[in-house]
Each structure stands twice: as C-alpha cells, then as structure tokens.
Amino acid sequence: MKLALIGFGQAGGKVVDAFCAFEEMIDRSFIEASIAVNSATADLRGLEHVAQEDRVLIGQSRVKGHGVGADNDLGAQVTEMDLDEIQAAIDRVPVHDLDAFLIVAGLGGGTGSGGAPVLAKHLDRIYTEPVYGLGILPGMDEGGIYTLNAARSFRTFVREVDSLLVFDNDAWRRMGESVGDSYDRTNREIAERFGRLFAAGEVNEDDDVAESVVDSSEIINTLSGGIATVGYATEPLNTSGGGLLSRVTGDSPSTPDETTSTNRMTSLIRKATLGRLTLPCDVSSAERGLVVATGPSESLSRKGIERGRTWLEEETASMEIRGGDYPIPDAGEVGSIVLLSGVTDIDRVEQLQGVAVEAQETTADVQQRSDEQFDSLLDTGGELNALF
Ligand code: GDP
C-alpha cells in the first residue's frame, strides 16, 4: 500500500530513513512521500534519505532549534503552534494516490512523544485516509522520565490513530551492544518487518498477480483499531541446485514436494506468531489477524497458508484472520509475516503504566519537598526584606 511516512523526533526521522533504505533494497515502492519533523536542527541534519525540503523544523520561536529536552508537554505545544508548517509539507504530497498516513515516533522522548499524537489528531480531522501510528517504546533502563513520557504519549496516540503499531526497544535489545549500534540494528528490523507488510499490498507492473496476492484493503481492514504487533520468520531456500545427497548420488535437483512446502509454510506461520513480535503480547487476545506468505511463487503453498491461517484462527479464537501471498520472484528465502491487531493482553504496556504512575508520584513528592525546603531555606522569620 502507498504510504506517506512522517517521522517525528529523532527516532521517528531515523526510522523513516531506514524505511526509505529498505524500499530501495527490495525494489518495490510503498512510500509515496517521506517527511521528517523535529524541533532540533542537528537531528534533521543527520538524516540521509529524507529530502531537504521535506525536513520540517518546528518550535523555532520557543526552542531555537535546540529540541525540547525530553519535555513532551512542550513537544505537543510547539507542534500545535507550528501545525501549518507541517501541513505545508503534506500539501506537496499527492494525497489522492495515498492509502494511508504513518506517523513514526519514539514515545520516550519529547518532540515525537508529544507531537505525534497532535499531528495524528490534525490529519484525522482533515483527511479520509486512515492515519496509523508506529510508536517505539523505550528500554526499561532508560529511566523514569522516559517511561512516564512513553506511557502518557501511548494513551494519547492510540486514541488519535486508526491503529497503533508498536515496537518495543526493550524486547529487541542485545546484551553488550552500544546504544548507537543497537538503534541502527533495530531500525533495520523495524523497517524490514513493517516495510514488508506494507510492501505486500503493492505489486510491480510485471509481477505475476495471482488472485491470492494480498491487497491493501486487507491490511486496512485488519488495522481497524487498537494496538497492532508484527511477527516475521524466514527460511532459506536451497538455491544451490540440489542438496548434498543429490550431489553425491548425481540425481538432478528436485523442487520440494507439495508436502514439504505445505509443512514449511505452516511452520513459518507458527514461528512468526510464536517467535519475537515487535510488541510481545498474548496472541490469544488478538481481535484480527493477517498472514502473508513471502517468497518465489512456486514456493508459496496455498495449502500451507490455509492451514496456517486456520491454526491462527484457533489460537486467537477470531474469525477475522485474513491470508494472502506476497510473491517475490528470485528470492532466496521463503517467509511469513503475521500481523496481529486489536491485541489487549500486553504485559509490557501494563508494566510501563505501573512504572509511569510511580514515577509521576515520585516526581510530585520530590517537587513538593523541594518547594518546602526552598521556602524553609529563605525563611528568616521576617527579619530580612527582599529588594522589591
Ligand atoms: P525526540 O527527538 O525528543 O522525539 O526523542 P528521541 O526520538 O531522541 O528519543 C525518544 C526515544 O526513542 C528514546 O527514549 C529511545 O527509547 C528511542 N530512540 C531514540 N533513537 C532511536 C533509534 O534510532 N531507534 C530506536 N529504535 N529507538 C530510538
């Protein structure tokens, strides 16, 4: 499907950049426009793929291009003030060619965390196209302020978008990796998972368009509310022209038989669902789902997809599990993307909210104590007058 990507804040901009790099790599166009919005000049300068004219600096009169310093209330305020500047960039997008907007932001910071929900509300009022969010949750080790920001932004963002796709940095970090390396890697993971899903609804002119190819409307119907998460699994195809046995025996390389490709596809769908999701959750709480099989047409077993789809229906007790193909001629692997939508049983969100409530209470206590101590410090019992 054709998207207008809007990266809000530093993480949002970098992830949009990663989506553009991914699109170039897969040679299938799903990005109609890419825009980056930030209150920090330096962050906009660091982008590689978003065109200069599509980088929008907001809040200049308030923060002079220096960012909002993890203050998401300020992020929301400067966005509200400068909505016209963002709208001017969106006015250049041929909206009639779009299937949806996707606003990407790290929810733990200030600009994206505060601004993304404000923009979502604005776009939803103006356009009939769906407005989706892609929210990145901070790592648990980032501290109270980031957790509090993320929890408050999450509540607001999910209310303002047609569906909130979520990626949890905490679930995807690796021990011993530097923050920079970790972000580069996770941004590629984000772009690959969500990018493949959105690219699935797009076909090139010369593609073999079978009836079973997934359509944008199926993605849109699956993303019809609440929180969404994505799973992905792949398996390399034996492209070397026969395995060890055929080389030893001299037999000609054989294409996998029907049973092998059926079993492989069913097992990939299970692996994608039960492996690491972008936001880990209890799969049985999903309200809707979409299963997409990727790889060369001849390896996409209809029977395997159908079995996998039925299995997911049983896992989720949902009747709304869609399925389809995303044929990629000459791919060296076969894979499965599973989109689960309307998920509600999510430990990470409960935990995030719990820590955020504590952080909010601690902040209020500290503030009160500090005010009292300051008053007591300056209290001379009325023996000293201020200048004015
Ligand atoms: P903003 O510029 O004020 O919106 O804040 P940032 O985007 O810099 O940071 C917000 C949160 O996003 C951080 O707390 C991190 O959890 C996360 N984050 C920052 N940069 C990246 C990145 O490149 N990739 C990922 N996956 N997360 C990031």
Side-chain angles (χ1 to χ4, degrees), residues 45 129 164 166 340 376:
R45 212 178 286 136
E129 286 72 16
L164 181 61
V166 185
L340 299 169
S376 131

Side-chain angles (χ1 to χ4, degrees), residues 207-367:
D207 279 348
D208 159 24
V209 186
E211 211 176 292
S212 49
V213 170
V214 82
D215 190 77
S216 310
S217 62
E218 289 172 290
I219 304 173
I220 292 172
N221 289 339
T222 308
L223 289 174
S224 60
I227 299 161
T229 181
V230 169
Y232 179 51
T234 58
E235 200 180 298
L237 284 169
N238 184 3
T239 51
S240 62
L244 182 63
L245 187 64
S246 65
R247 283 205 293 278
V248 172
T249 58
D251 288 346
S252 61
S254 58
T255 48
D257 61 40
E258 175 68 20
T259 318
T260 312
S261 42
T262 301
N263 290 345
R264 182 172 54 199
M265 187 49 70
T266 317
S267 125
L268 279 169
I269 293 168
R270 281 169 182 259
K271 247 162 92 178
T273 312
L274 302 176
R276 190 161 35 157
L277 298 167
T278 58
L279 174 67
C281 68
D282 183 343
V283 170
S284 68
S285 73
E287 207 181 321
R288 298 168 298 279
L290 172 68
V291 171
V292 182
T294 70
S297 298
E298 60 280 9
S299 64
L300 303 180
S301 153
R302 282 271 81 224
K303 209 160 145 193
I305 300 168
E306 207 35 51
R307 276 204 199 149
R309 214 186 52 75
T310 310
W311 169 80
L312 192 56
E313 270 182 7
E314 284 161 13
E315 283 293 297
T316 56
S318 162
M319 284 292 121
E320 244 192 282
I321 306 293
R322 298 172 168 85
D325 297 349
Y326 169 9
I328 312 175
D330 305 323
E333 57 185 24
V334 58
S336 152
I337 308 160
V338 172
L339 167 66
L340 299 169
S341 169
V343 292
T344 47
D345 193 347
I346 314 162
D347 285 349
R348 181 71 178 93
V349 171
E350 306 241 344
Q351 179 197 33
L352 187 84
Q353 296 189 135
V355 175
V357 169
E358 266 174 43
Q360 192 162 265
E361 284 166 3
T362 312
T363 310
D365 288 350
V366 169
Q367 178 74 50

